[in-house]
Amino acid sequence: MRSDVEFRSEGWTLRGWLYRPDAQDDAAPAIVMAHGFSAVKEQYLDRYAEVFQAAGFGVLVYDHAHFGASEGRPRQEVDPVLQKRGYRDAISFAQTIPWIDPARIGIWGTSYSGGHVIEVAAIDRRVRCVVAQVPFISGSLSAQRRTRSDLVPAQLRRFEADRAARFRGEAPAMLPAVSADPLQPCAMPGPDSYAFFSGTHDFAPDWHNAVTLRSAELSRENEPGSHIARISPTPLLMIVAEDDLLTATDLCLEAFHRALPPKDLVMVPGGHFDPYLWHFDRTSIAARDFFVAHLGATA
């Protein structure tokens, strides 16, 4: 059974879905999930949630503030600090649900939110286990790879001009999330990014191809990988794509090396978006089995 739910976080109402397992004798363990940069819950998170639900888990899936069905102004602003606090408030909300065991909650994140769950698991001991799929590791290192050094000064001037305009009360500057034109600046460059998001239009109409320019500035400041050694003793599963150019494979593997046991690594062929599509069965089952092992549901 799936029902619509909402809860408050940092002054905004966040909205999503709550999945309740069909067979349930005692309080069920639960998984809290949210999507990555600019994405909304309809972009394949329901498929993962259904796999977890079938294994006996309650699942809370929600849209980040400023996106999808959730409140938040300005719209389309990716604020990593706000989104991490949203995860922690989602855990608090899950703990109030009578049929959820408040002592058996895991978190799952992918891409940008894959980085969020690394940090949240490191600082919030209510988290009993964590799955980070193709996680964002370092804003500074990612920025160095995505932006040619000779273009950085102009980019920083755009950030400064946007900040000055917002201080005057003007609307925030916007940036495409993805683009079919390799020469057009966008938040997530590459043909695979454009193909993934444009391919979800029919079933994710709440996704919009835009983020605030400030989202890119905030991304440069986001360093979830710096927390990874502090996750232990909470169990960590990292799912990494072998040819990931968006959340670079080598950055993910280096971060995994710094994590302390208990930890597990699953490698899948392909690029950043292949875990949702071509390797959905493998990634969803790996996450399901990890949650079963550490939260105690029955697969």
Side-chain angles (χ1 to χ4, degrees):
M1 181 178 69
R2 187 180 90 179
S3 57
D4 294 335
V5 294
E6 60 183 40
F7 59 95
R8 297 288 288 176
S9 179
E10 300 293 310
W12 302 111
T13 297
L14 306 189
R15 298 187 177 96
W17 302 317
L18 180 64
Y19 292 78
R20 183 171 183 169
D22 294 330
Q24 180 186 331
D25 297 325
D26 301 310
I31 300 164
V32 172
M33 305 175 59
H35 221 316
F37 198 95
S38 88
V40 295
K41 61 187 183 299
E42 289 83 1
Q43 290 167 314
Y44 301 110
L45 291 200
D46 50 344
R47 297 182 69 202
Y48 282 94
E50 288 164 3
V51 170
F52 303 153
Q53 178 192 34
F57 294 100
V59 188
L60 173 61
V61 184
Y62 68 96
D63 285 326
H64 292 298
H66 309 303
F67 289 91
S70 292
E71 293 181 344
R73 297 287 179 182
R75 299 304 292 172
Q76 303 300 117
E77 180 146 288
V78 185
D79 184 333
V81 173
L82 189 66
Q83 292 184 355
K84 292 165 195 171
R85 291 175 179 171
Y87 261 101
R88 301 185 73 182
D89 289 330
I91 294 169
S92 296
F93 172 64
Q95 289 182 318
T96 69
I97 296 168
W99 52 266
I100 286 179
D101 184 345
R104 291 193 293 160
I105 293 179
I107 56 176
W108 180 99
T110 188
S111 191
Y112 207 55
S113 70
H116 296 347
V117 296
I118 287 173
E119 184 169 333
V120 171
I123 61 180
D124 194 327
R125 289 303 164 191
R126 297 176 300 170
V127 176
R128 295 305 183 186
C129 60
V130 53
V131 174
Q133 179 170 284
V134 291
F136 180 92
I137 298 298
S138 169
S140 58
L141 294 177
S142 296
Q144 289 174 19
R145 296 184 183 208
R146 294 182 191 178
T147 307
R148 282 182 9 215
S149 59
D150 59 315
L151 300 179
V152 170
Q155 183 184 60
L156 297 180
R157 287 194 294 271
R158 287 187 67 197
F159 292 156
E160 293 165 3
D162 177 57
R163 182 172 294 275
R166 288 185 284 106
F167 186 77
R168 295 191 298 267
E170 299 174 19
M174 303 301 290
L175 180 72
V178 297
S179 177
D181 182 355
L183 300 180
Q184 182 182 27
C186 65
M188 293 175 284
D192 56 341
S193 298
Y194 181 79
F196 174 83
F197 283 100
S198 60
T200 66
H201 181 267
D202 289 343
F203 53 86
D206 283 343
W207 180 79
H208 301 288
N209 188 16
V211 294
T212 63
L213 181 62
R214 183 172 182 251
S215 301
E217 182 180 23
L218 292 172
S219 181
R220 292 173 63 95
E221 305 167 9
N222 188 25
E223 297 290 335
S226 64
H227 297 266
I228 199 164
R230 297 167 53 200
I231 293 176
S232 180
T234 302
L236 163 69
L237 171 63
M238 188 179 290
I239 299 172
V240 178
E242 294 175 357
D243 300 303
D244 197 330
L245 302 180
L246 201 59
T247 56
T249 303
D250 63 305
L251 296 183
C252 292
L253 294 178
E254 189 277 332
F256 182 79
H257 177 74
R258 288 187 281 115
L260 301 176
K263 61 181 180 179
D264 291 293
L265 175 67
V266 170
M267 298 290 298
V268 297
H272 184 77
F273 297 97
D274 288 320
Y276 307 96
L277 302 170
W278 306 113
H279 303 298
F280 169 77
D281 287 344
R282 185 173 178 183
T283 58
S284 61
I285 291 171
R288 179 203 67 186
D289 291 350
F290 183 80
F291 285 131
V292 167
H294 296 287
L295 296 177
T298 301

